[in-house]
Amino acid sequence: MTCLEEIRDIARKTTKKTKARKEAAKRKPQITIGEIDGVIGWGNRRNPLSRSNRSYKSGMIIRTRMNDMQKSLVLNDSEIEEAFKIDALLQPNVIGVECQPLTIPLPSKTGKKGRRSHTFDVRITLEDGKVYLAYIKAQQSLRSSSSVPTINEIVANTPENLCHRIVVISDVYFSRNYRDNNRRIFMCHEMPNEEADRRICELMSAEASPLRISSLIEKSGLVKNEAWQAILRMIGAGMVTAERDAVIDYPSIIWKPE
């Protein structure tokens, strides 16, 4: 072996070791969630949680009518997925939000061994019985040349009796402010107060709009935090309208829905 060949061999081995280290760094160990007392567990579904330096992972407890309002565990593979689920949970006609609900088989590629499949990210069930399956990806991924063929293949191999529609969701639907507002709205949604909600709706009907949140709180006669939470719940339910892509705060303008 010449000196030049020896240098190339060392460089090749070094490159392989570097690639191996990078791949190992990407494959972070999976985070397992144990049983939580009083909460419907994750079961045997695909677990999307893993330690990651790049991806957003989260979990939360939700309640839906389809589960008789029992607490159940939800795991989120990305911030877009979390935002989509919260947005769905705030809609009064949504009765079920399920994560990693089902896996469909896909045809094997020519010349390649191994089974192929696709697991949908979310299943939404409406009170009229309609079911939607969601394919959730970042807009950057959806712009790739392989994205459209992949989605077409998934749609073509999904049995018609499994859903009424397959929807594609990306981060263009949820601005940073929209996501942050929805997190706060969802927290208030989990602390119901029918009396405060009724008072805010009555005031919105009686007062001329638009008006500031601070003004509505003052006129409500409610404790400040109760009025604030009620307004956020009503915004989430569509009973009160606000600019969702701007930070919702006390000086924010709200108005009656059209």
Side-chain angles (χ1 to χ4, degrees):
M1 180 183 291
T2 65
C3 182
L4 181 59
E5 288 174 337
E6 188 175 353
I7 291 171
R8 285 175 177 169
D9 186 54
I10 293 171
R12 187 165 51 251
K13 289 178 180 178
T14 304
T15 302
K16 285 183 178 179
K17 288 179 181 178
T18 302
K19 285 182 178 179
R21 281 198 300 270
K22 287 182 178 179
E23 286 299 316
K26 287 180 184 177
R27 292 191 295 271
K28 300 292 184 180
Q30 196 173 63
I31 300 172
T32 56
I33 307 293
E35 293 295 320
I36 303 173
D37 190 35
V39 176
I40 299 172
W42 188 251
N44 295 320
R45 289 171 287 173
R46 185 184 78 85
N47 183 355
L49 293 190
S50 63
R51 292 177 176 84
S52 174
N53 297 329
R54 301 182 302 169
S55 301
Y56 178 95
K57 311 284 184 177
S58 68
M60 56 189 182
I61 303 297
I62 68 169
R63 293 178 296 174
T64 62
R65 280 181 278 167
M66 201 166 72
N67 281 335
D68 298 322
M69 302 306 289
Q70 294 182 67
K71 293 180 179 178
S72 59
L73 177 65
V74 165
L75 305 180
N76 305 306
D77 198 17
S78 66
E79 195 168 13
I80 315 166
E81 193 173 311
E82 179 192 80
F84 175 67
K85 290 171 187 173
I86 291 177
D87 209 44
L89 288 163
L90 294 175
Q91 308 310 312
N93 65 331
V94 171
I95 65 169
V97 176
E98 302 166 85
C99 313
Q100 309 290 319
L102 59 92
T103 300
I104 59 164
L106 297 175
S108 300
K109 290 188 175 179
T110 306
K112 291 189 177 181
K113 295 182 179 180
R115 296 179 179 178
R116 298 174 64 236
S117 64
H118 172 74
T119 300
F120 282 97
D121 299 300
V122 187
R123 177 165 55 198
I124 303 294
T125 304
L126 307 185
E127 60 186 3
D128 63 4
K130 289 182 179 177
V131 175
Y132 295 84
L133 290 172
Y135 177 88
I136 301 174
K137 280 285 185 292
Q139 187 66 19
Q140 186 176 357
S141 298
L142 292 175
R143 289 196 186 104
S144 67
S145 58
S146 62
S147 180
V148 172
T150 298
I151 294 171
N152 287 341
E153 183 183 31
I154 291 168
V155 172
N157 287 279
T158 302
E160 292 183 2
N161 64 338
L162 292 183
C163 68
H164 291 82
R165 181 186 292 183
I166 296 172
V167 295
V168 179
I169 303 295
S170 79
D171 46 352
V172 298
Y173 292 97
F174 309 103
S175 68
R176 168 62 62 185
N177 286 336
Y178 190 98
R179 294 196 298 266
D180 290 343
N181 285 332
N182 264 16
R183 288 190 186 104
R184 293 186 295 148
I185 290 170
F186 183 67
M187 289 174 65
C188 296
H189 181 75
E190 292 298 290
M191 298 181 285
N193 184 331
E194 291 184 10
E195 184 178 342
D197 293 352
R198 184 166 52 252
R199 177 59 180 154
I200 292 301
C201 287
E202 289 172 353
L203 268 176
M204 284 299 297
S205 297
E207 295 289 326
S209 64
L211 69 161
R212 294 192 184 277
I213 288 179
S214 56
S215 176
L216 187 62
I217 290 174
E218 186 178 346
K219 292 179 179 181
S220 71
L222 297 167
V223 177
K224 190 174 182 179
N225 70 305
E226 289 183 355
W228 166 254
Q229 291 168 11
I231 291 169
L232 288 188
R233 282 193 295 270
M234 294 302 95
I235 291 172
M239 305 296 290
V240 175
T241 306
E243 177 50 67
R244 301 286 285 274
D245 288 317
V247 176
I248 298 175
D249 205 344
Y250 289 101
S252 299
I253 300 292
I254 53 177
W255 59 94
K256 301 171 187 176
E258 296 181 0

